[in-house]
Amino acid sequence: METVNVVFESETATKGCACDACRNIGRVIKLRLPSTRFHNRKSLTTRYYDYWLCPACRQKLHNALDWLKEED
């Protein structure tokens, strides 16, 4: 199976930013999330999307990644 090496990047912003999860205005962490698919139906490519999280939602995401629920 073909794979692609992806990069997860982030930076902080402090003014006039809205969290994509809860819509809180203020300080956010800007994540660049990869999406690797056959976007053109021919070759595997990666597109990057920005996702902004306030500190509270970032903590919730962190908890969800560290404390996975087991499937039934």
Side-chain angles (χ1 to χ4, degrees):
M1 175 178 240
E2 184 180 359
T3 64
V4 174
N5 185 25
V6 296
V7 177
F8 289 86
E9 296 177 343
S10 64
E11 64 181 299
T12 58
T14 57
K15 294 190 178 187
C17 299
C19 175
D20 283 321
C22 74
R23 303 307 296 169
N24 185 27
I25 305 289
R27 194 174 99 201
V28 297
I29 296 165
K30 295 180 179 182
L31 299 173
R32 298 234 342 123
L33 301 175
S35 174
T36 303
R37 293 189 168 55
F38 291 94
H39 294 287
N40 63 3
R41 297 182 189 219
K42 296 179 184 175
S43 59
L44 197 59
T45 58
T46 302
R47 293 181 183 170
Y48 287 87
Y49 300 92
D50 291 332
Y51 196 78
W52 296 7
L53 288 173
C54 69
C57 289
R58 181 226 167 261
Q59 186 60 50
K60 291 175 185 178
L61 174 60
H62 177 79
N63 291 345
L65 292 171
D66 280 354
W67 300 97
L68 302 174
K69 290 182 180 179
E70 291 189 26
E71 288 188 35
D72 294 331

